[in-house]
Amino acid sequence: MATLRVEVVTPERALWSGLAIALMARSSEGEFTILPEHTPTVGDIVPEVLRVATDEGEIRFAVHGGYFQVGPDREDNVTLATVLAGVAELTTEIDVERAQAAKEAAEATLSALSSNPDDHAGAALARAALARAELRLRAASARRDVVQ
Amino acid sequence: MAGGQERILRQRIKSVNNTRKITKAMELIAASQIGRSQARIVANRLYHDGMRRIILEAALGDPAGAKSLLAEPERVTAAVVVVIAGDRGLSGAYNSSVLRAGERLVIQRRSQGTAVRLIVVGKKAPGFFRFRGIDVAASFTGFSDRPTFSDAREVAAAAAAPFIDGEVQEVVLVSTAFLSAATQSVTTRRLLPLTLPEAPAVSEPTGLKGYTEFEPEVEKLLTYLAPRALESEIFTALLEGAASFHTSQQRAMAAASDNADELSLTLTRIMNRARQDSITTEIMEIVGGAEALRARK
């Protein structure tokens, strides 16, 4: 039977790798699912919760943007899906309090900046920080309904 | 005169030994960092190789669109040069060799009529270039020992922006490649336009070239991929630079400790001789004095 191997890789470390049933994520074109024997594909991943279905249940990641490549692995009958992300974490590793604090700090910065519309760079930074914090919180709250 | 020289020598030995303590400590700290920075190079390899594979795939999928990112520029009127050095000294030739290579490149490009925007990493770099009258467009400091990916992003953003805006036709990187624990060498290579990782005719298991699907379409993908590729290359260079720095500091400090040992030994011998001399002189004086007293009796 064909199998799927998933690798989630960041520049700092290989986050996760193993056999899976399916990989679900979102690209700039919309949601997609990768199953074994998927046709070779290269694409992007927008910041969203990425889910990997395995025999032991679902593993979730907060992926802050990246790319993926699907292709045949070295072994026969194995499809390799590699996810490359600059920043990504397992939802179980997310520090909810820190993310909450980061979200509040970013919101405070944004509201302080609203009186100063010229600071585009500062606003963009704050918005990016806010988006990251919100994704982390969303990913962390999603982990409760994971089948252990 | 008795003991004077001996005291001076004793002070010098003490100061040499203190210096040795410092160099030995620095040697041990650098040695402990080598392993860690090497592990980070290994950890990054998967991402780096994956990024190169994706770019290769995308470039093969759209040869026409890839031309703007891959093709040799017809005329280079302006270029960005990124030089990666260290924040700290006392590391042998690490900083000076990469900085001198950077200086040579800048001079060579300028003689060809290319305007150079210089981006440097490491505290040692801005001073070096300013002293030589070379303007530094941007400098990044404070992370050369332990670079993170977001540091690489900042550097890459500064380097890629003028290329994407069309102000420069080339981005060149000067850094130290960590080939092994024993060999590091200064390398100069072009980052943008992208150079293809391998010859396209690779017989990889991904043998279905040309049948790859792209999401979104490959032109769009390539535009966004180029800055990501640059980040990955710069991060790799930063990691290798850090590992090279620690290796070279460890080597330099080991040599300094050895020199201090040798110096301390030599000085101790001289001091002992001086002490014996002074004792001999003293005995001679006492004996001479006693002889004189007896002779008077």
Side-chain angles (χ1 to χ4, degrees):
Chain A
M1 204 198 96
T3 48
L4 178 68
R5 176 184 294 283
V6 174
E7 284 178 347
V8 182
V9 180
T10 71
E12 312 269 352
R13 67 189 172 128
L15 206 53
W16 189 84
S17 127
L19 293 177
I21 302 162
L23 164 79
M24 287 147 284
R26 188 198 287 270
S27 82
S28 55
E29 309 273 277
E31 296 259 1
F32 65 88
T33 302
I34 305 284
L35 295 170
E37 297 204 326
H38 192 285
T39 181
T41 308
V42 170
D44 61 355
I45 291 179
V46 295
E48 192 45 71
V49 182
L50 180 139
R51 296 176 297 156
V52 179
T54 69
D55 288 333
E56 281 89 43
E58 200 170 89
I59 298 163
R60 296 174 184 213
F61 305 86
V63 174
H64 303 271
Y67 292 88
F68 72 92
Q69 180 180 28
V70 182
D73 202 355
R74 272 174 234 289
E75 301 163 57
D76 284 343
N77 277 331
V78 180
T79 309
L80 177 69
T82 313
V83 175
L84 301 176
V87 184
E89 57 251 301
L90 280 157
T91 50
T92 47
E93 289 174 353
I94 291 173
D95 186 340
V96 179
E97 278 169 33
R98 212 180 121 190
Q100 187 68 44
K103 185 189 172 198
E104 278 156 20
E107 278 168 348
T109 316
L110 272 182
S111 65
L113 279 175
S114 60
S115 57
N116 176 17
D118 293 332
D119 191 359
H120 293 300
L125 273 183
R127 264 196 294 279
L130 182 62
R132 273 199 304 277
E134 279 176 346
L135 174 59
R136 285 200 176 105
L137 290 174
R138 202 155 65 236
S141 67
R143 77 180 172 212
R144 270 193 288 277
D145 43 72
V146 174
V147 187
Q148 291 298 329
Chain B
M1 149 92 207
Q5 206 181 355
E6 190 192 333
R7 196 169 60 243
I8 292 165
L9 283 165
R10 184 160 291 159
Q11 273 167 3
R12 281 192 63 191
I13 291 168
K14 213 169 140 192
S15 110
V16 168
N17 284 340
N18 283 339
T19 309
R20 189 192 173 277
K21 272 181 208 158
I22 295 167
T23 57
K24 192 75 191 167
M26 287 179 80
E27 177 194 340
L28 295 175
I29 291 166
S32 76
Q33 299 288 335
I34 293 172
R36 204 176 303 165
S37 48
Q38 262 179 291
R40 295 187 73 207
I41 293 177
V42 174
N44 172 50
R45 198 163 289 155
L46 213 53
Y47 183 87
H48 185 240
D49 292 351
M51 199 46 109
R52 292 192 143 203
R53 269 208 313 277
I54 286 184
I55 285 163
L56 184 66
E57 205 73 51
L60 290 173
D62 177 35
K67 221 162 225 164
S68 64
L69 289 171
L70 293 164
E72 198 75 30
E74 283 176 14
R75 222 180 98 67
V76 179
T77 56
V80 168
V81 172
V82 183
V83 179
I84 293 177
D87 278 337
R88 296 185 290 129
L90 296 176
S91 53
Y94 172 72
N95 284 312
S96 63
S97 47
V98 73
L99 290 173
R100 259 186 284 124
E103 186 196 9
R104 271 199 303 276
L105 181 72
V106 170
I107 290 170
Q108 182 239 333
R109 287 295 144 110
R110 283 197 173 155
S111 70
Q112 293 170 350
T114 307
V116 174
R117 282 172 65 107
L118 192 62
I119 296 177
V120 297
V121 174
K123 215 185 273 171
K124 293 283 162 187
F128 176 90
F129 287 110
R130 287 212 181 104
F131 180 70
R132 284 159 180 78
I134 299 170
D135 275 340
V136 175
S139 72
F140 297 87
T141 55
F143 55 74
S144 73
D145 278 5
R146 249 187 93 75
T148 66
F149 191 61
S150 54
D151 298 325
R153 275 200 166 154
E154 282 179 39
V155 179
F163 180 81
I164 290 164
D165 296 342
E167 288 168 28
V168 304
Q169 293 79 40
E170 199 181 33
V171 177
V172 187
L173 174 75
V174 182
S175 67
T176 310
F178 188 82
L179 305 173
S180 75
T183 9
Q184 296 90 40
S185 67
V186 175
T187 57
T188 302
R189 64 206 176 86
R190 196 173 71 186
L191 295 182
L192 288 175
L194 297 170
T195 38
L196 274 187
E198 303 95 42
V202 270
S203 57
E204 268 185 50
T206 45
L208 295 165
K209 300 283 184 221
Y211 292 92
T212 305
E213 285 182 8
F214 297 98
E215 209 184 315
E217 59 269 34
V218 71
E219 296 83 6
K220 238 180 178 176
L221 201 63
L222 267 177
T223 322
Y224 292 112
L225 261 172
R228 298 292 92 75
L230 196 66
E231 282 167 10
S232 171
E233 293 295 333
I234 287 182
F235 186 55
T236 307
L238 285 175
L239 289 181
E240 294 201 5
S244 305
F245 169 81
H246 292 309
T247 314
S248 137
Q249 177 162 63
Q250 193 252 340
R251 222 179 285 138
M253 289 300 107
S257 302
D258 286 350
N259 282 345
D261 274 342
E262 207 176 297
L263 192 56
S264 157
L265 197 70
T266 317
L267 286 175
T268 309
R269 288 212 179 106
I270 295 171
M271 183 190 78
N272 285 346
R273 197 173 308 136
R275 196 185 63 219
Q276 276 175 357
D277 278 355
S278 73
I279 290 169
T280 312
T281 317
E282 218 168 294
I283 289 172
M284 293 290 276
E285 277 164 5
I286 292 167
V287 171
E291 285 293 332
L293 283 174
R294 200 169 53 188
R296 209 180 294 166
K297 255 184 214 170

